[in-house]
Amino acid sequence: MTSSASSDASAAAMAATPSPSVRQVSLSTPFTDQKPGTSGLRKSSRQFEQPHYLESFVEAVFRVLPGVAGGTLILGGDGRYGNRRAIGVIARMAAAHGVARLITTTGGILSTPAASHLIRKHQAIAGIILSASHNPGGPEGDFGVKVNGANGGPAPESITDAIFAATTALDGYRIVDAETPSLDVPGVHALGDLRIEVIDGVDDYVTLLQGLFDFGAIGALLRGDFPIAFDAMHAVTGPYASRLLEGLLGAPAGTVRNGTPLEDFGGGHPDPNLTYAHELAELLLDGDAYRFGAACDGDGDRNMILGHRCFVNPSDSLAVLTANATLAPGYASGLAGVARSMPTSAAVDVVARDLNLPCYETPTGWKFFGNLLDAGRITLCGEESFGTGSDHIREKDGLWAVLFWLQILATRRCSVAEVMADHWSRFGRHYYSRHDYEAIASDRAHGLYDRLKGLLPSLVGTSFAGRSIATADDFSYTDPVDGSLTSGQGLRLLLDDGSRVVVRLSGTGTQGATLRLYLESYVAAGGNLDQDPQQALADLITAADQLAEIRSRTGMERPTVIT
Ligand code: G1P
Ligand code: ZN
């Protein structure tokens, strides 16, 4: 019934709209800087506002993606400045390229995980997600375009490389001249032969999570004496978290903070870590009012989990979810396997060994989990950068992680700190930290990195922080599913006691270069499990600085962000 009613509506709309004409716009010089990074094309809003800049990238996407003519496309974003304009431009270009059906959302609000779900649900050929993730937004902030493939996950490098190559050779693009429909209310519209459906971006995602977790048990926890605080950071998760936590699960009004998406995220930096989500961190780590706290990033794929006086390191979070997975109805029958990105700590490896599960180590970036998930080799995966997810979609999923933790707490009826203490007493503890040096002059950062890379062969067998360097290499990965090789993924020093130091250059920054230093040291169960991570890692930190000459070469006395 519903489908005939909506197709009647669309037929009426199509009949009422004269077919707009396709315009070919020529470009005198192609752009040379549209190479997608770790997660899509990310640039300043100002760069995206240059004439034809967005159009150039989108044209390349439509030329490269298979199945565009006659296909279904999902489109939305995190609500940042530029979101609505981009939806209009992309809708008009989709019409010019023969896309049959475009599904977008009210207000253009669509989180990255919800987009991944919609792509899969509607068997779309792709999704375009307008977001620069956790980077600040607004006219002086950043904008981004992420392209996801038919499996719902970030497009693989073969596609992003082809898109980049297409941008550098582009002589023009196709677009229709027409008004684009209002995004203010759900409805069906037509743009020539293109059917545009504006749907609520929250509904389907909520239904998906209801199938994975026991909302009765979590609701009972949240309606009892278990106050929680969720910080949406004025970004995309506000409407999702309000519906889930305050609506369906009955948490008190006010549980969701900063819940209205704003074009500039209220001037904030929507990255859920102790630096940028410090208001929430202070509530949980210094105050006594809340038992659980969580925050998500700009586009809703990252999460930070806090307990009363307890910060959960994201690498540990993945390990805890793995160890407790069967408590959630959606994972009750067990896991196929797990994966983590290379810089993520090996906490999950220890749990996987205990559960006899395959465990994969992939390069940084969610796209590398895609094949493993599609092939059914893994169920859970995660990154140290506050990303955790499962095979329910093909993106990391912030609110999924929050509900998973609440499921564990609702079933085990204990505190976050107790979950962690229990976990370490069983599996030992991986002390872990990441030090970021942001906005370094690009030549200095590359100079430092290339020098360290050149030193690697001579380092094996030498002493480092009282240990010996067992392996020194530049990480490369052969995908076990399709055999593709990805190299140059980060410099690793593996020490003889299992400790590690990793150095990478960020692939998502928009200003200069960002150097990431990852530090990890394992203490087995029975050892000292209650140290401050910075202290537990102090000797590694000092030795890494001496070897890589970080302070002298960057001119920075300390990292800009420590997580
Ligand atoms: C960063 C994180 C990485 C994550 C990516 C996208 O990339 O380190 O784990 O997948 O953002 O959220 P980087 O800037 O390090 O290249
Ligand atoms: Zn994100």
Side-chain angles (χ1 to χ4, degrees):
M1 308 295 149
T2 327
S3 72
S4 81
S6 62
S7 60
D8 286 352
S10 99
M14 284 185 192
T17 320
S19 260
S21 54
V22 176
R23 185 157 55 98
Q24 174 77 35
V25 180
S26 31
L27 285 178
S28 47
T29 335
F31 293 97
T32 54
D33 66 344
Q34 298 198 324
K35 186 172 174 55
T38 313
S39 186
L41 180 67
R42 205 174 282 187
K43 300 281 175 191
S44 68
S45 299
R46 293 281 178 237
Q47 274 168 289
F48 264 104
E49 282 175 336
Q50 296 169 75
H52 315 301
Y53 194 85
L54 171 68
E55 291 85 345
S56 156
F57 189 71
V58 174
E59 176 73 19
V61 169
F62 284 145
R63 289 196 190 179
V64 165
L65 285 180
V68 167
T72 296
L73 184 73
I74 307 297
L75 176 62
D78 63 13
R80 71 179 61 221
Y81 174 79
N83 198 42
R84 281 179 183 252
R85 174 182 92 88
I87 289 176
V89 167
I90 296 169
R92 287 161 54 214
M93 291 184 69
H97 284 267
V99 173
R101 185 179 178 210
L102 178 74
I103 300 176
T104 186
T105 53
T106 44
I109 292 291
L110 183 63
S111 77
T112 289
S116 181
H117 176 52
L118 285 181
I119 295 169
R120 297 164 66 76
K121 178 178 167 176
H122 294 284
Q123 281 143 28
I125 58 135
I128 298 182
I129 305 166
L130 306 165
S131 173
S133 189
H134 47 282
N135 290 19
E140 305 307 325
D142 288 340
F143 191 74
V145 181
K146 303 201 292 180
V147 180
N148 283 30
N151 73 344
E157 239 152 53
S158 54
I159 297 279
T160 52
D161 286 349
I163 292 170
F164 175 53
T167 61
T168 60
L170 214 60
D171 55 0
Y173 61 87
R174 286 190 294 155
I175 190 164
V176 302
D177 287 318
E179 288 281 308
T180 40
S182 155
L183 298 176
D184 293 337
V185 287
V188 180
H189 312 265
L191 205 57
D193 291 336
L194 171 66
R195 173 188 167 94
I196 300 182
E197 296 171 31
V198 181
I199 64 170
D200 178 287
V202 178
D203 290 343
D204 292 291
Y205 177 76
V206 165
T207 307
L208 175 70
L209 292 193
Q210 283 176 309
L212 297 175
F213 301 112
D214 180 350
F215 274 52
I218 301 174
L221 178 78
L222 299 189
R223 282 189 297 269
D225 184 21
F226 197 85
I228 70 167
F230 176 84
D231 193 343
M233 305 189 84
H234 284 304
V236 80
T237 52
Y240 295 84
S242 300
R243 179 94 65 89
L244 283 164
L245 300 174
E246 296 182 12
L248 291 164
L249 293 165
T255 296
V256 177
R257 301 163 166 265
N258 303 320
T260 306
L262 298 176
E263 288 204 329
D264 66 350
F265 307 124
H269 189 146
D271 200 1
N273 58 38
L274 295 176
T275 303
Y276 295 122
H278 62 91
E279 282 169 23
L280 181 80
E282 281 150 22
L283 284 180
L284 270 292
L285 302 181
D286 303 334
D288 296 313
Y290 297 101
R291 307 279 305 274
F292 176 88
C296 290
D297 73 331
D299 62 331
D301 55 359
R302 293 185 173 197
N303 73 91
M304 176 171 71
I305 303 292
L306 300 166
H308 178 222
R309 314 243 163 191
C310 175
F311 164 73
V312 180
N313 183 288
S315 299
D316 281 341
S317 179
L318 176 63
V320 167
L321 298 190
T322 302
N324 292 275
T326 53
L327 300 182
Y331 306 92
S333 59
L335 308 175
V338 291
R340 63 164 171 86
S341 66
M342 180 273 283
T344 303
S345 96
V348 72
D349 303 33
V350 179
V351 179
R353 260 199 304 283
D354 184 70
L355 296 174
N356 209 10
L357 293 175
C359 179
Y360 300 86
E361 182 180 37
T362 59
T364 297
W366 207 259
K367 59 189 171 217
F368 294 102
F369 296 133
N371 280 346
L372 297 169
L373 290 163
D374 285 347
R377 291 196 189 212
I378 59 169
T379 309
L380 300 188
C381 45
E383 296 193 89
E384 50 67 37
S385 51
F386 298 83
T388 340
S390 92
D391 61 357
H392 67 297
I393 52 170
R394 294 295 180 272
E395 286 278 5
K396 55 196 174 224
D397 189 345
L399 279 163
W400 168 90
V402 173
L403 288 197
F404 212 141
W405 265 93
L406 290 173
Q407 173 82 67
I408 294 168
L409 299 172
T411 314
R412 292 181 49 175
R413 290 275 162 182
C414 63
S415 70
V416 175
E418 283 162 346
V419 169
M420 290 319 306
D422 176 62
H423 186 89
W424 293 327
S425 73
R426 271 180 75 194
F427 299 107
R429 179 169 181 184
H430 289 78
Y431 285 102
Y432 183 85
S433 184
R434 184 176 106 182
H435 289 194
D436 293 337
Y437 294 80
E438 297 173 316
I440 312 171
S442 192
D443 54 340
R444 286 193 182 205
H446 286 277
L448 184 160
Y449 191 85
D450 294 343
R451 174 181 163 277
L452 184 61
K453 189 170 157 184
L455 286 177
L456 291 178
S458 65
L459 293 177
V460 178
T462 61
S463 116
F464 186 91
R467 292 91 149 174
S468 163
I469 297 180
T471 306
D473 67 3
D474 187 355
F475 181 66
S476 63
Y477 174 71
T478 303
D479 185 302
V481 178
D482 66 13
S484 59
L485 173 72
T486 308
S487 44
Q489 292 300 305
L491 311 181
R492 303 193 298 178
L493 303 180
L494 310 183
L495 310 184
D496 58 353
D497 69 342
S499 305
R500 295 196 307 167
V501 173
V502 173
V503 176
R504 273 184 71 247
L505 290 177
S506 157
T508 56
T510 54
Q511 285 161 24
T514 293
L515 181 80
R516 304 203 193 286
L517 171 68
Y518 309 80
L519 306 134
E520 173 179 347
S521 174
Y522 179 61
V523 174
N528 185 352
L529 302 174
D530 289 318
Q531 302 170 66
D532 171 72
Q534 300 309 317
Q535 269 154 23
L537 298 164
D539 52 350
L540 289 182
I541 295 169
T542 308
D545 181 55
Q546 274 163 5
L547 177 66
E549 300 178 350
I550 297 174
R551 278 187 298 171
S552 58
R553 285 174 172 268
T554 62
M556 295 161 85
E557 269 311 300
R558 61 191 63 81
T560 35
V561 178
I562 295 182
T563 49

